[in-house]
């Protein structure tokens, strides 16, 4: 069994795989735990990218408002919105990536909790049969 059996990293999809032995169950628990732990620095980087994109958008929008020759603030803001659309797209893409990573983390954590519960039940069942 490889890490690909648990989750496809290219799509984030969690693969439906049910362990059949206590050793496979233990492996999956360890693998998911490690994956959740290793994701912390990645999520930190995604948060940093999101805030960086937001700061760039705010800065460029403010500059566009200041450069605008429009007469009303509403017109200045609309002009600035159009002028900074690329920054808006970058910001939205950073947020989308971050949210997808967070949702994957939640799914993996739920899966880990379920496997831990199964492991607990199996432990009791093996203990009861001895």
């Amino acid at each position: 069994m490889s890490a690909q059996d648990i989750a496809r990293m290219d799509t984030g999809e969690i693969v439906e795989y049910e362990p059949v032995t206590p050793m496979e169950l233990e492996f999956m628990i360890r693998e998911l735990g490690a994956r959740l732990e290793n994701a912390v620095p990645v999520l930190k980087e995604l948060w940093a990218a999101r805030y960086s994109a937001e700061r760039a958008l705010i800065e460029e929008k403010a500059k566009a408002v200041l450069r605008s020759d429009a007469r009303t603030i509403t017109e200045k803001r609309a002009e600035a919105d159009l002028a900074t659309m690329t920054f808006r797209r970058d910001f939205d893409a950073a947020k989308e990536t971050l949210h997808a990573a967070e949702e994957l983390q939640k799914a993996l954590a739920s899966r880990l909790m379920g496997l831990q519960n199964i492991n607990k039940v199996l432990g009791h069942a093996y203990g009861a049969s001895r």
Side-chain angles (χ1 to χ4, degrees):
M1 174 172 35
S2 70
Q4 284 295 95
D5 293 328
I6 295 172
R8 292 188 51 188
M9 295 312 294
D10 57 337
T11 63
E13 164 188 30
I14 295 179
V15 176
E16 288 298 321
Y17 173 80
E18 298 301 326
V20 293
T21 68
M23 284 181 56
E24 288 179 329
L25 182 62
E26 182 66 26
F27 172 80
M28 286 187 73
I29 289 171
R30 288 177 188 270
E31 180 69 24
L32 285 171
R35 197 174 288 250
L36 288 166
E37 185 178 338
N38 293 336
V40 172
V42 174
L43 285 170
K44 184 178 183 213
E45 288 177 22
L46 291 174
W47 273 104
R50 180 241 189 251
Y51 284 122
S52 177
E54 184 177 27
R55 284 189 298 274
L57 172 62
I58 291 167
E59 180 181 351
E60 291 303 316
K61 191 170 179 180
K63 288 177 183 177
V65 168
L66 291 173
R67 284 191 302 264
S68 175
D69 292 329
R71 294 183 309 172
T72 68
I73 191 66
T74 302
E75 290 172 329
K76 287 178 184 270
R77 286 182 182 154
E79 195 175 277
D81 284 340
L82 291 173
T84 59
M85 197 55 69
T86 300
F87 292 93
R88 167 58 67 187
R89 286 187 192 103
D90 292 345
F91 175 53
D92 290 345
K95 286 194 322 184
E96 180 182 339
T97 301
L98 173 63
H99 291 312
E102 288 177 329
E103 290 303 314
L104 177 57
Q105 284 300 97
K106 287 178 191 175
L108 289 173
S110 294
R111 176 81 173 180
L112 176 60
M113 191 180 319
L115 291 173
Q116 287 171 327
N117 287 337
I118 292 169
N119 193 34
K120 190 179 200 180
V121 168
L122 284 177
H124 289 300
Y126 279 110
S129 65
R130 289 182 188 175

